[in-house]
Amino acid sequence: MAKLKHFDILNIKHYVIFITFMVLASCKNAPEHLTELTGKQIAIDSSFTTVDSIQKFIQPFHDRVESILDSTLAYAPFVISKTDGKFNTTAGNLMADIVLSETNPIFKKRTGHNIDMVLLNHGGIRSIISKGNVTSRTAYEVMPFENSVVVVELKGESLMKMVDYLIHSKRAHPIAGAQLILNKNNTVKAFTVDGKPIDKNKSYYVATSDYLVTGGDNMGFFKDAISKTETDYKIRNAMIDFFSKVDTLAPKVDLRYYQLQ
């Protein structure tokens, strides 16, 4: 199975930069100061035709981007979805595990600490991973946003606020590195990180997205952060890096978050 070198994905950025440059160049005769702003809706329909000279110039860049996006990185033997479990899902578990495994070496090198757990949001998963070949395009479909990983230092007391949030949200928000077990009446039976009960006075390092760390999805407990470490590592890029390392994706709905029956 062919493996794609991750640095090739930079060509996508170069393509975007090129297009931006072309737009700016076309505005070189614009007035120095804005005097008036007007606008109108322009329908994009069959009346617009391709400019052959521009199409010919852009085509090699377009073809290169398409080849990068569609190069096979791994294989999914079944559909990976965010709706195949009540408290945790195959897609959520895969994404959270990827963030933990791919980001921890970066965080460890910069701070000397390990990431204790990961929390992402269920709504951030935007597509299934279909059965079959997994490509860079797959990562863009699952995570089309430019969200990057941020590691937040929280006291154990704040992690209990996180648990309360997870219970009341009633959604399978992806977690990794922790286990949450609920009683039948939705109270907490056990909550552990790295297999150990939470110490309310201890600091824990939680990897999440830059969207959630600012209160996205009403995750207000992140405001209790003692420290924040920007990794400058996009979640999508972490997925591509992981896909490039493995042959077959095999996430499972497991016991990281479940309710006693």
Side-chain angles (χ1 to χ4, degrees), residues 113-246:
H113 299 289
N114 287 308
I115 295 172
D116 293 299
M117 68 168 290
V118 173
L119 173 65
L120 303 173
N121 62 318
H122 183 262
I125 304 171
R126 307 303 287 188
S127 173
I128 64 170
I129 297 178
S130 300
K131 178 180 178 180
N133 291 337
V134 176
T135 66
S136 293
R137 190 184 299 277
T138 305
Y140 275 83
E141 292 170 346
V142 175
M143 174 52 68
F145 312 113
E146 297 298 308
N147 295 126
S148 59
V149 182
V150 178
V151 182
V152 178
E153 182 182 0
L154 293 174
K155 288 290 188 182
E157 186 174 1
S158 296
L159 290 193
M160 298 312 298
K161 294 181 183 179
M162 178 191 299
V163 170
D164 188 63
Y165 172 88
L166 290 172
I167 294 172
H168 288 89
S169 70
K170 297 182 180 180
R171 303 186 73 184
H173 293 299
I175 65 172
Q179 184 183 44
L180 175 59
I181 306 172
L182 302 183
N183 293 308
K184 292 182 180 180
N185 62 355
N186 287 326
T187 57
V188 178
K189 171 70 174 179
F191 178 55
T192 58
V193 173
D194 193 26
K196 302 173 183 177
I198 293 297
D199 181 343
K200 291 185 177 182
N201 297 314
K202 179 182 175 181
S203 287
Y204 296 87
Y205 295 98
V206 182
T208 187
S209 75
D210 53 357
Y211 167 69
L212 298 178
V213 82
T214 56
D217 267 7
N218 296 314
M219 294 191 183
F221 48 84
F222 281 126
K223 295 178 181 178
D224 297 339
I226 300 170
S227 67
K228 298 177 186 177
T229 302
E230 302 279 352
T231 66
D232 303 313
Y233 192 25
K234 286 183 171 49
I235 296 175
R236 181 198 308 123
N237 289 349
M239 295 175 66
I240 293 171
D241 287 343
F242 179 83
F243 293 163
S244 299
K245 295 176 183 178
V246 301

Side-chain angles (χ1 to χ4, degrees), residues 243-255:
F243 293 163
S244 299
K245 295 176 183 178
V246 301
D247 181 80
T248 303
L249 305 181
K252 299 178 181 179
V253 175
D254 55 27
L255 298 180

Side-chain angles (χ1 to χ4, degrees), residues 44 50 62 71 144 153 216 219:
I44 306 299
T50 300
H62 173 271
S71 296
E153 182 182 0
M219 294 191 183

Side-chain angles (χ1 to χ4, degrees), residues 5-188:
K5 291 184 179 298
H6 173 57
F7 63 79
D8 282 345
I9 205 67
L10 292 175
N11 285 302
I12 298 172
K13 294 182 179 179
H14 295 160
Y15 176 68
V16 174
I17 292 171
F18 165 75
I19 295 299
T20 303
F21 174 78
M22 293 291 288
V23 172
L24 292 175
S26 69
C27 298
K28 63 182 180 179
N29 295 321
E32 184 177 352
H33 301 289
L34 181 65
T35 58
E36 183 181 2
L37 181 64
T38 60
K40 63 179 180 178
Q41 184 173 343
I42 301 176
I44 306 299
D45 53 31
S46 58
S47 65
F48 286 85
T49 58
T50 300
V51 178
D52 290 340
S53 59
I54 296 178
Q55 181 66 28
K56 184 178 180 180
F57 187 83
I58 292 176
Q59 195 63 45
F61 296 92
H62 173 271
D63 292 345
R64 178 56 178 162
V65 169
E66 292 297 306
S67 68
I68 291 171
L69 289 175
D70 290 329
S71 296
T72 300
L73 302 179
Y75 181 78
F78 51 82
V79 174
I80 299 172
S81 169
K82 70 173 186 178
T83 60
D84 52 12
K86 182 178 180 181
F87 294 96
N88 67 89
T89 68
T90 52
N93 292 351
L94 177 65
M95 186 174 287
D97 289 345
I98 286 174
V99 168
L100 181 58
S101 67
E102 301 305 302
T103 309
N104 191 60
I106 299 171
F107 182 67
K108 175 77 171 180
K109 185 175 182 179
R110 292 186 185 180
T111 68
H113 299 289
N114 287 308
I115 295 172
D116 293 299
M117 68 168 290
V118 173
L119 173 65
L120 303 173
N121 62 318
H122 183 262
I125 304 171
R126 307 303 287 188
S127 173
I128 64 170
I129 297 178
S130 300
K131 178 180 178 180
N133 291 337
V134 176
T135 66
S136 293
R137 190 184 299 277
T138 305
Y140 275 83
E141 292 170 346
V142 175
M143 174 52 68
F145 312 113
E146 297 298 308
N147 295 126
S148 59
V149 182
V150 178
V151 182
V152 178
E153 182 182 0
L154 293 174
K155 288 290 188 182
E157 186 174 1
S158 296
L159 290 193
M160 298 312 298
K161 294 181 183 179
M162 178 191 299
V163 170
D164 188 63
Y165 172 88
L166 290 172
I167 294 172
H168 288 89
S169 70
K170 297 182 180 180
R171 303 186 73 184
H173 293 299
I175 65 172
Q179 184 183 44
L180 175 59
I181 306 172
L182 302 183
N183 293 308
K184 292 182 180 180
N185 62 355
N186 287 326
T187 57
V188 178

